[in-house]
């Protein structure tokens, strides 16, 4: 359910529940009082907010904290509209509960979807406190105003703290949202101002609670041997040696999942024990044999050729205008094929979950991006209702989309029910890399007819990748909504245009990873655009602005895109795209740094998650072909900004994330088995090859908030590739680029 569709009753109603928040090294239960208890407890004008009689303000953090600062940012919006003193605010981490609306901290939508509900929550409480003060003093409500955790009457100088007004405020009717008066932007004290994370001190002191830190009385640890090929099953097991390992208490078989796999646990054999070391040693001692699987034929090198071949054939048309076939054969043309490999999420903290199952109810503690999905998945695995599953959310040591898929929580629940004790399932790095929901490999084919001015007169592009939909429907081979991520929404006003999607089967679980299909689509489109600029012998910045054309709001449906709906709050405005290109060119000194052998700048611009991003990357390529990145400049228009320091950190992180994808990272498979086992062979950017400096330039905007966590990634890969071409003359169309020698 969209946050904007929450009913007033759901948004403002009080409900009995039990919450938990991170305090020091413990998970401390916190009561969220029902209507019957309000006379003795906090006043709750809505599900996100409560005010205690002593004046303490309690704000519910219903999204998951994984380094983005969202546990701080959304409550800041509430506190600002309430005019609360931040020093007198405490945060409660919400349990999984549908009353909060979506809790899936994914898709760069937390601020985008909940900025307005948080403003409503704060403004509702502030209005009622002001009404309570006016009633107490018998003065018009227009004469009073909330000021820094109190309501003041300017004419008389009287003041009442928030706590003093709780008893009266709870007796008043909740105002209609349409009647609320919101603060003006210039009156904000917290929104738009750098504020430290509420978790900062606990994190730097090593006191923060992550999934791996949760302990329960009598808890066992579990390590699982999973089917090595998706769809294979256990044919024989010798667990005698494993059971003899000191500390091993049991060996349990788990039923293997069948298609569609969804978020089901994969199954296999779990070794349980009193320590992680014991379970890992017991796991090594297992002798397990597995059946064949149709996916045993999966070989990533062969599959690459399959993808490349298929995009050279006609596909399903997803956008068309004009007559490409009649135009593309007239005059000079240019074509290119691009490939991006499978990728893993590889968060620093692998998946972890603790479960207790008693009396037909389950209690889960886990590092999850989506506690409601935990409820649904665990309920399905145990055959109970989601309401009988309680999900406590810890901090996450990274997520990137992996931890919105709670197969690991269901594993813990199944084992806890089997052994009758709390169980913590521990994923190793090897488990994390080999049993991921992988980012799909992809191929794109682009072809353009080029006019006398160097701009395309016709444009054909095709994409193929195993879709995320295949995880939920094994027959699905087309991209669905993923095709609209940077491909059907090409922002160039080309009269003759056709966009096609070709089919691709899946042989592993496919899932969303940070920026999803924008990764491969931005790489292809922005690389191809740079190739056209090179053919035209044009300045890359000038060419980008020319191919985008005069500012306009794009109506994709009117321009031939199928199944694309405009978002009235976030129209696709190319003036904003042009602005970030101009800004990043200015800030990077583009005009003052012409390319030289071994050193150059590259540029790319992309629209994703309703944000407009442009990046200039500077590269140096030495005589041995080694690539260094001295500097990255990123220009960002993400609408209204709540936490500018968190925005900067997200784009700094995206520069490193994108560098890993561009230069280093790749998941490969042979005979259906994943080759990579750890960071020795799944390579991420380290200090010696990560960008040395990243400068983030944010456009001031009053537009509605847009995405921030993901939009910084797509521009980095093509900007690096374009810079390498400018520095060396080598056009790199396959990722990762480390596989191609750059000095020969």
């Amino acid at each position: 359910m969209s946050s904007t569709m929450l009913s007033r009753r759901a948004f403002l109603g009080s409900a009995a529940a039990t919450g938990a928040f991170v305090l020091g090294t413990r998970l401390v239960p916190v009561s969220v009082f029902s209507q019957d208890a309000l006379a003795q407890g906090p006043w709750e004008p809505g599900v996100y907010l409560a005010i205690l009689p002593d004046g303490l303000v309690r704000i519910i953090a219903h999204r998951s904290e994984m380094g983005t600062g969202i546990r701080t940012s959304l409550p800041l919006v509430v506190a600002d509209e309430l005019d609360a003193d931040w020093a007198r605010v405490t945060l409660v981490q919400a349990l999984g509960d549908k009353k909060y609306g979506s809790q899936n901290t994914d898709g760069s939508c937390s601020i985008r979807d909940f900025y307005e509900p948080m403003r409503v929550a704060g403004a509702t409480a502030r209005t009622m406190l002001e009404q309570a003060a006016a009633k107490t003093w018998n003065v018009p409500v227009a004469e009073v105003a909330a000021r820094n955790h109190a309501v003041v009457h300017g004419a008389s100088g009287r003041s009442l703290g928030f706590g003093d007004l709780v008893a009266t405020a709870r007796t008043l009717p909740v105002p209609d949202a349409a009647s609320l008066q919101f603060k003006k932007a210039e009156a904000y004290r917290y929104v738009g101002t750098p504020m430290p994370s509420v978790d900062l001190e606990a994190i730097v002191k090593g006191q923060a609670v992550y999934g791996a830190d949760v302990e329960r009385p009598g808890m066992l640890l579990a390590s699982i041997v999973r089917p090595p090929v998706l769809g294979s099953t256990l044919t024989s097991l010798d667990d005698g040696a494993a059971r003899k390992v000191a500390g091993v208490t049991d060996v349990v078989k788990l039923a293997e999942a069948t298609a569609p796999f969804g978020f089901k646990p994969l199954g296999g054999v779990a070794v349980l024990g009193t320590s992680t070391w014991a379970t890992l040693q017991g796991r090594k001692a297992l002798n397990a044999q597995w059946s064949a699987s149709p996916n045993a034929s999966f070989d990533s090198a062969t599959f690459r050729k399959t993808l490349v071949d298929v995009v050279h054939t006609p596909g399903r048309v997803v956008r068309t205008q004009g007559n490409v076939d009649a135009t593309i054969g007239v005059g000079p043309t240019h074509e290119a094929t691009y490939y991006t490999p499978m990728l893993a999420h590889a968060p620093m903290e692998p998946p972890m979950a603790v479960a207790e199952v008693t009396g037909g109810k389950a209690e889960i503690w886990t590092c999850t991006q989506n506690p409601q999905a935990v409820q649904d998945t665990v309920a399905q695995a145990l055959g109970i209702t989601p309401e009988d599953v309680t999900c406590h959310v810890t901090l996450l040591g990274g997520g990137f989309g992996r931890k919105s898929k709670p197969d690991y929580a269901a594993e813990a629940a199944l084992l806890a029910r089997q052994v009758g004790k709390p169980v913590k399932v521990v994923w190793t790095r090897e488990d994390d890399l080999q049993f991921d929901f992988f980012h799909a490999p992809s191929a794109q084919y682009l072809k353009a007819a080029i006019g006398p001015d160097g701009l395309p007169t016709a444009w054909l592009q095709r994409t193929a990748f195993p879709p995320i939909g295949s995880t939920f429907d094994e027959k699905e081979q087309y991209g669905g909504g993923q095709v609209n991520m940077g491909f059907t929404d090409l922002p160039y006003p080309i009269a003759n245009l056709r966009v096609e999607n070709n089919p691709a089967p899946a042989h592993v679980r496919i899932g969303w990873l940070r920026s999803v299909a924008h990764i491969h689509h931005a790489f292809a489109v922005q690389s191809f655009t740079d190739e056209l600029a090179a053919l035209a012998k044009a300045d890359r910045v000038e060419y980008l602005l020319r191919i985008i054309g005069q500012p306009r709001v794009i109506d994709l449906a009117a321009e031939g895109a199928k199944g694309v709906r405009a978002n009235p709050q976030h129209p696709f405005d190319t003036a904003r795209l042009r602005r970030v290109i101009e800004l990043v060119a200015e800030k990077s000194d583009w005009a003052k740094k012409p390319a030289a052998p071994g050193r150059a700048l590259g540029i790319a611009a992309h629209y994703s998650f309703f944000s407009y991003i442009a990046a200039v990357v500077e590269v140096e390529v030495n005589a041995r072909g080694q690539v260094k990145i001295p500097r990255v400049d990123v220009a960002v228009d993400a609408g209204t900004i709540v936490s500018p320091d968190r925005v900067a950190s997200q784009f700094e992180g995206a520069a490193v994330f994108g560098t890993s994808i561009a230069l280093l990272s790749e998941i490969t498979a042979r005979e259906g088995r994943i080759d990579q086992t750890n960071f020795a062979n799944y390579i991420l950017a380290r200090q010696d090859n990560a960008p040395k400096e990243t400068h983030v330039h944010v456009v001031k905007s009053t537009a509605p908030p847009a995405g921030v966590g993901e939009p910084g990634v797509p521009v980095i890969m093509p900007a690096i590739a374009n810079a390498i071409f400018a520095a060396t003359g080598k056009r790199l169309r396959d990722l990762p680029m480390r596989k191609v020698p750059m000095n020969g």
Side-chain angles (χ1 to χ4, degrees):
M1 178 170 57
S2 167
S3 64
T4 57
M5 296 174 65
L6 288 172
S7 70
R8 291 285 292 164
R9 180 178 179 183
F11 177 69
L12 293 168
S14 295
T18 299
F21 69 97
V22 176
L23 178 65
T25 58
R26 296 173 298 136
L27 284 175
V28 183
V30 176
S31 174
V32 182
F33 288 83
S34 68
Q35 189 70 36
D36 294 337
L38 282 179
Q40 305 301 323
W43 167 55
E44 295 178 282
V47 297
Y48 303 119
L49 174 66
I51 302 177
L52 282 66
D54 65 0
L56 185 70
V57 172
R58 181 186 297 158
I59 299 175
I60 305 297
H62 72 295
R63 309 290 274 190
S64 299
E65 180 56 68
M66 51 187 163
T68 65
I70 200 61
R71 232 170 76 90
T72 304
S73 298
L74 281 175
L76 280 172
V77 178
V78 180
D80 220 336
E81 279 293 348
L82 178 61
D83 222 300
D85 177 359
W86 188 242
R88 302 189 66 190
V89 171
T90 186
L91 301 188
V92 178
Q93 182 64 52
L95 300 173
D97 195 319
K98 289 181 172 57
K99 71 182 181 182
Y100 298 117
S102 170
Q103 290 178 268
N104 187 12
T105 313
D106 214 329
S108 294
C109 63
S110 291
I111 296 292
R112 188 174 83 225
D113 284 356
F114 285 95
Y115 178 73
E116 199 62 25
M118 294 301 113
R119 292 180 71 206
V120 169
T124 297
R126 170 172 47 79
T127 299
M128 295 177 74
L129 290 168
E130 290 170 343
Q131 290 171 344
K135 182 176 181 180
T136 301
W137 293 323
N138 194 27
V139 299
V141 71
E143 293 183 5
V144 306
R147 293 286 185 271
N148 196 29
H149 228 84
V151 179
V152 299
H153 182 232
S156 64
R158 287 176 290 184
S159 175
L160 285 171
F162 284 176
D164 300 324
L165 295 166
V166 164
T168 302
R170 64 160 49 108
T171 67
L172 301 176
V174 175
D176 185 79
S179 69
L180 297 174
Q181 297 293 315
F182 297 103
K183 280 187 174 184
K184 296 185 183 299
E186 56 268 22
Y188 283 142
R189 291 188 291 152
Y190 308 133
V191 172
T193 300
M195 297 283 289
S197 167
V198 295
D199 300 299
L200 181 61
E201 184 175 351
I203 290 171
V204 299
K205 289 183 176 179
Q207 297 172 336
V209 177
Y210 294 86
D213 298 320
V214 176
E215 303 285 341
R216 300 296 297 167
M219 184 179 76
L220 295 176
L221 286 298
S223 183
I224 302 174
V225 176
R226 298 172 183 84
V229 179
L230 188 65
S232 61
T233 59
L234 186 69
T235 57
S236 67
L237 174 67
D238 181 354
D239 61 5
R243 291 182 180 275
K244 293 177 182 178
V245 173
V248 169
T249 60
D250 206 350
V251 177
V252 175
K253 296 180 183 178
L254 291 168
E256 287 84 16
T258 56
F261 294 98
F263 298 151
K264 298 174 189 174
L266 289 172
V269 182
V271 178
L272 293 99
T274 56
S275 70
T276 303
W277 175 255
T279 65
L280 292 175
Q281 296 309 301
R283 173 175 163 175
K284 289 179 182 177
L286 288 174
N287 182 1
Q289 302 298 319
W290 305 90
S291 72
S293 164
N295 294 310
S297 63
F298 178 47
D299 177 276
S300 53
T302 303
F303 195 67
R304 178 197 180 283
K305 184 178 185 303
T306 299
L307 290 174
V308 169
D309 287 346
V310 76
V311 293
H312 284 82
T313 64
R316 178 184 288 177
V317 176
V318 293
R319 181 179 176 186
T320 183
Q321 57 191 33
N323 191 329
V324 169
D325 293 332
T327 312
I328 209 159
V330 178
T333 61
H334 183 65
E335 60 186 341
T337 305
Y338 303 89
Y339 174 77
T340 58
M342 274 201 305
L343 299 169
H345 295 81
M348 288 297 101
E349 175 201 30
M352 301 280 177
V354 174
E356 292 184 20
V357 180
T358 55
K361 296 182 183 294
E363 194 162 6
I364 311 293
W365 294 260
T366 186
C367 46
T368 179
Q369 293 176 243
N370 190 351
Q372 292 169 5
V374 170
Q375 291 179 287
D376 293 339
T377 303
V378 169
Q380 183 183 34
L382 297 181
I384 60 179
T385 67
E387 292 72 25
D388 287 328
V389 180
T390 301
C391 180
H392 302 272
V393 181
T394 68
L395 295 180
L396 284 64
F400 310 127
R402 173 58 179 99
K403 292 175 184 172
S404 59
K405 309 165 184 69
D407 54 334
Y408 52 98
E411 290 176 334
L414 287 167
L415 291 170
R417 183 177 65 178
Q418 176 78 7
V419 301
K421 294 182 178 182
V423 172
K424 177 191 287 183
V425 167
V426 178
W427 281 53
T428 64
R429 177 60 58 202
E430 289 79 6
D431 295 334
D432 173 51
L433 290 177
Q434 298 199 319
F435 301 102
D436 198 2
F437 289 78
F438 297 99
H439 178 71
S442 180
Q444 286 84 40
Y445 170 72
L446 286 82
K447 184 176 182 179
I450 304 170
D453 58 358
L455 294 175
T457 58
W459 183 292
L460 169 68
Q461 61 184 37
R462 300 188 184 120
T463 183
F465 50 89
I468 291 170
S470 64
T471 297
F472 307 97
D473 178 358
E474 66 274 25
K475 297 178 182 178
E476 183 59 69
Q477 297 191 17
Y478 287 92
Q482 293 168 263
V483 182
N484 299 329
M485 294 181 167
F487 216 61
T488 55
D489 52 353
L490 186 76
Y492 306 156
I494 302 171
N496 304 288
L497 171 68
R498 190 164 72 242
V499 181
E500 299 175 5
N501 180 204
N502 299 78
H507 299 285
V508 295
R509 297 188 297 181
I510 302 296
W512 45 89
L513 174 141
R514 187 180 188 182
S515 82
V516 203
H518 290 285
I519 288 175
H520 36 255
H521 292 151
F523 174 61
V525 170
Q526 286 299 295
S527 293
F528 191 69
T529 301
D530 195 78
E531 294 193 35
L532 296 182
L535 290 172
K537 296 181 172 54
D539 177 88
R540 304 304 199 267
V541 171
E542 293 177 2
Y543 190 88
L544 253 181
L545 295 172
R546 286 173 58 209
I547 198 171
I548 291 170
Q550 292 301 309
R552 76 192 201 283
V553 173
I554 301 176
D555 183 344
L556 288 168
E559 295 188 17
K562 299 181 179 180
V564 177
R565 292 183 180 179
N567 186 312
Q569 276 199 311
H570 298 278
F572 191 171
D573 185 353
T574 64
R576 297 173 70 182
L577 186 62
R578 291 175 61 91
R579 175 68 183 113
V580 292
I581 293 169
E582 293 167 341
L583 179 62
V584 80
E586 173 195 340
K587 296 296 185 179
S588 64
D589 281 338
W590 176 274
K592 299 177 183 178
K593 295 181 179 179
R599 189 205 62 79
L601 306 181
I603 189 168
H606 191 67
Y607 173 72
S608 65
F609 304 95
F610 304 114
S611 289
Y612 304 82
I613 316 296
V616 169
V617 176
E618 181 179 13
V619 303
E620 293 177 353
V621 184
N622 65 21
R624 291 178 292 171
Q626 296 171 319
V627 177
K628 301 291 183 183
I629 302 176
R631 177 172 173 136
V632 173
D633 284 271
V634 186
V636 178
D637 182 351
T640 297
I641 299 298
V642 173
S643 299
D645 50 344
R646 297 280 68 79
V647 170
S649 69
Q650 285 302 292
F651 282 89
E652 290 163 356
V656 179
F657 196 92
T659 297
S660 296
I661 296 172
L663 298 177
L664 304 165
S665 301
E666 180 181 27
I667 289 288
T668 59
R670 285 174 290 181
E671 297 181 344
R673 298 178 182 228
I674 303 302
D675 296 321
Q676 286 66 35
T677 56
N678 212 307
F679 290 136
N681 50 12
Y682 187 74
I683 307 172
L684 301 176
R686 293 168 169 82
Q687 282 189 332
D688 63 336
N689 46 29
K692 298 298 182 288
E693 298 178 17
T694 300
H695 299 263
V696 182
H697 315 285
V698 178
V699 174
K700 290 185 178 180
S701 175
T702 58
V708 167
E710 299 175 87
V713 175
V715 290
I716 300 298
M717 294 79 73
I720 290 174
N722 295 341
I724 289 173
F725 173 77
T728 68
K730 284 187 174 292
R731 180 61 69 181
L732 303 179
R733 295 173 176 152
D734 282 23
L735 302 184
M737 301 174 196
R738 63 178 169 85
K739 298 194 300 181
V740 180
M742 299 182 197
N743 58 345

